[in-house]
Amino acid sequence: MIRFTNISGAEEIGANCYLLDMEGTKIVLDSGMHPKREGMAAMPDFDKLEPNTVEAVFLSHSHLDHLGTLPVLQEKQSCAEVYMTPACATLSEVMLHNSVNVMSAKRLDEGIVEYPFFTHTDLDHLCDSWHPKHYNEVFRVGYRQNVLASFYDAGHILGSAGVFLESESGHTVFYTGDVQFEDQSIIPGADFPEDGVDTLIMECTRGAYERPTDYKREEELERFAHEVRDTLERGGAVLIPVFAIGKSQEILYNLHRFKQKGIIPPQTPVYFGGLSAKVTSLYDRYSALTRRIEPEFKLKEEIDTVPLPKKGKAPLVCSPGNIYVVSSGMMTEKTLSNLLAEQILPHERNSILFVGYADPDSPAGMLKVAQKGEIVKMRRHAQPVPCQCSIKSFDFSGHAAREVLVDYAVKLNPKNIVLVHGDPEAIEWMRTSISEKLPEAHIITPISGETYTLKS
């Protein structure tokens, strides 16, 4: 018997964490931190797990909504073996150490006494126990070694993977994690199984977003390039808020390509650094070891950037003619993208270009819908500023479009489909669309804390 329990603590994009009981072998998929909650509320519901009963943990990729509480899970389930791809392991170590710094700062600034959930010393010990496994490598997990497992390239970010599991009785489960089937600029689209799946656990991030039917990534890149060029030509500065993993590297690569094509002046300064620069070094380290569009291309070797000032040094002053590729993508308070926005916003010649998802409640989400001339407040204890600059959004998502996900589910035609990692509207669209095409499928939209028995 195969059972599934959503222990993420939410029916939305949150602290992704799922329990699979595969004929007595307990397996956890991901262990995230909720991006919109703080303290213990950001944790998965680990109380649903009896102490030291989990035998294996699989990490799909290194974004904190999938990774952020893994050290806590390891402490609570010390006998569990932890598996991920080699690139994911290297990235995850960097991201978790950075998370300690962020949580420690929030403890001081916001009085969140539970932070940090773990220390740098804890991480040094816990990371040594991880088991990196290559894509398509088949291995056994569990005390009885009765579950076969393998990773498939998810095409989302460096090291991202779908997880394929097969029980002793032959029941197969495939967890997509976050997936992109279409090629991005650096990373090719997912290389996923196309048959032989009994249970599909699938992300639904973009289930509520209807992408234009005539969308083409190259045309979107061209529109983005022209917006950068037009801003520079009118003497403005360009602010591009990015996430450290994935989006930073994609944008850096494309700005380099725009310079090579003469769309923007080759000498244009591109400010880039911090965590994004560390992650970019790892993208280069794994360039020949993971699937790439251009395996020989090294971002840091071939692209000239201007380093960002280190913390505690003089603040960065925005200047005309510059491009700032900085985090955070959500423009969270006290991040560089948030601070620079206050300098960028009041001037018509400048631009803020959004290249990825922004939560509607975040500063970035607020700016995306701001009207020209509107007075906005980027920080709680700061003066409001007028929104006079150009604000544009572009679709370079690392997540598959909803129609592509439905097509994948139809191709697999599994007995069970579990829809996760989506806000309620997104999950409902996916459920309705898939049920119309696969009326015989057992479709589950799992409520937090509930356990579901899967059709065998």
Side-chain angles (χ1 to χ4, degrees), residues 8 15 32-46 68-69 72 99 102-104 106-107 110-118:
S8 66
M33 183 184 293
H34 199 295
K36 296 171 68 173
R37 299 178 186 173
E38 299 288 359
M40 298 304 293
M43 286 264 199
D45 188 4
F46 290 138
T69 57
V72 180
S99 183
V102 172
M103 286 189 288
S104 298
K106 286 184 174 181
R107 179 186 177 94
E110 302 175 28
I112 305 173
V113 295
E114 303 100 322
Y115 285 163
F117 290 146
F118 42 86

Side-chain angles (χ1 to χ4, degrees), residues 36-291:
K36 296 171 68 173
R37 299 178 186 173
E38 299 288 359
M40 298 304 293
M43 286 264 199
D45 188 4
F46 290 138
D47 289 341
K48 292 289 182 185
L49 305 174
E50 295 179 20
N52 285 320
T53 57
V54 175
E55 300 180 35
V57 177
F58 288 85
L59 185 68
S60 66
H61 68 286
S62 307
H63 281 144
L64 288 179
D65 60 331
H66 295 256
L67 161 72
T69 57
L70 177 60
V72 180
L73 176 62
Q74 286 185 260
E75 290 287 0
K76 290 178 177 291
Q77 300 287 335
S78 57
C79 295
E81 304 281 6
V82 180
Y83 302 93
M84 63 194 79
T85 68
C88 179
T90 305
L91 267 179
S92 295
E93 189 168 354
V94 169
M95 296 302 292
L96 287 172
H97 276 293
N98 184 73
S99 183
V100 172
N101 297 336
V102 172
M103 286 189 288
S104 298
K106 286 184 174 181
R107 179 186 177 94
L108 291 173
D109 297 341
E110 302 175 28
I112 305 173
V113 295
E114 303 100 322
Y115 285 163
F117 290 146
F118 42 86
T119 67
H120 293 297
T121 302
D122 293 335
L123 282 177
D124 290 338
H125 168 69
L126 292 169
C127 294
D128 287 341
S129 67
W130 295 346
H131 298 278
K133 297 292 182 180
H134 295 286
Y135 293 123
N136 305 311
E137 176 185 352
V138 180
F139 53 99
R140 291 184 178 274
V141 302
Y143 303 151
R144 293 176 290 141
Q145 296 285 285
N146 61 328
V147 175
L148 288 174
S150 54
F151 287 116
Y152 286 79
D153 193 337
H156 176 59
I157 60 170
L158 176 66
S160 62
V163 182
F164 188 91
L165 302 168
E166 183 176 351
S167 72
E168 208 164 21
S169 67
H171 189 106
T172 54
V173 176
F174 186 63
Y175 171 52
T176 64
D178 289 359
V179 57
Q180 173 57 287
F181 288 100
E182 298 165 359
D183 289 351
Q184 299 183 67
S185 298
I186 297 174
I187 295 179
D191 181 21
F192 271 6
E194 298 188 353
D195 55 30
V197 173
D198 296 317
T199 296
L200 174 65
I201 306 170
M202 187 166 68
E203 69 127 313
C204 301
T205 309
R206 306 190 82 196
Y209 174 71
E210 183 177 3
R211 191 171 72 175
T213 54
D214 60 350
Y215 172 89
K216 292 183 175 60
R217 186 181 180 86
E218 279 303 316
E219 291 179 3
E220 193 77 344
L221 281 168
E222 185 177 336
R223 188 169 72 90
F224 175 64
H226 289 166
E227 191 64 34
V228 174
R229 180 199 63 195
D230 292 348
T231 304
L232 297 173
E233 285 181 350
R234 63 176 178 258
V238 181
L239 172 59
I240 308 173
V242 289
F243 295 105
I245 307 180
K247 208 63 69 190
S248 291
Q249 295 72 38
E250 288 280 310
I251 295 305
L252 193 63
Y253 172 84
N254 280 297
L255 290 173
H256 174 70
R257 192 172 74 162
F258 299 159
K259 289 183 177 183
Q260 286 183 318
K261 291 182 175 182
I263 299 173
I264 62 176
Q267 70 276 13
T268 304
V270 177
Y271 282 77
F272 186 80
L275 181 60
S276 294
K278 287 183 183 178
V279 170
T280 300
S281 296
L282 299 182
Y283 265 67
D284 286 347
R285 185 193 300 183
Y286 284 92
S287 62
L289 303 173
T290 52
R291 295 165 63 239

Side-chain angles (χ1 to χ4, degrees), residues 279-414:
V279 170
T280 300
S281 296
L282 299 182
Y283 265 67
D284 286 347
R285 185 193 300 183
Y286 284 92
S287 62
L289 303 173
T290 52
R291 295 165 63 239
R292 293 294 173 91
I293 304 295
E294 295 184 60
E296 303 302 318
F297 188 88
K298 298 290 181 69
L299 291 157
K300 296 203 79 171
E301 288 180 14
E302 303 194 41
I303 301 176
D304 291 326
T305 58
V306 181
L308 297 169
K310 295 187 181 297
K311 283 188 176 179
K313 302 295 182 183
L316 182 61
V317 176
C318 175
S319 299
N322 293 341
I323 301 173
Y324 300 91
V325 182
V326 296
S327 60
S328 78
M330 298 284 191
M331 305 180 91
T332 307
E333 280 200 36
K334 299 187 179 180
T335 61
L336 194 50
S337 63
N338 183 286
L339 296 171
L340 280 177
E342 293 181 330
Q343 300 179 46
I344 293 279
L345 281 164
H347 305 288
E348 287 190 351
R349 63 179 181 271
N350 296 334
S351 290
I352 299 177
L353 307 183
F354 291 104
V355 293
Y357 173 77
D359 186 279
D361 296 328
S362 69
M366 176 266 297
L367 277 186
K368 274 190 168 187
V369 297
Q371 300 298 310
K372 191 88 165 182
E374 185 178 335
I375 303 299
V376 297
K377 195 170 186 178
M378 296 302 297
R379 292 178 290 146
R380 282 169 291 180
H381 306 299
Q383 291 295 317
V385 293
C387 178
Q388 299 292 357
C389 74
S390 174
I391 297 177
K392 299 287 177 65
S393 297
F394 302 87
D395 182 0
F396 302 128
S397 180
H399 292 271
R402 62 185 188 176
E403 294 82 7
V404 178
L405 289 170
V406 171
D407 289 346
Y408 182 63
V410 170
K411 179 182 287 186
L412 287 182
N413 192 20

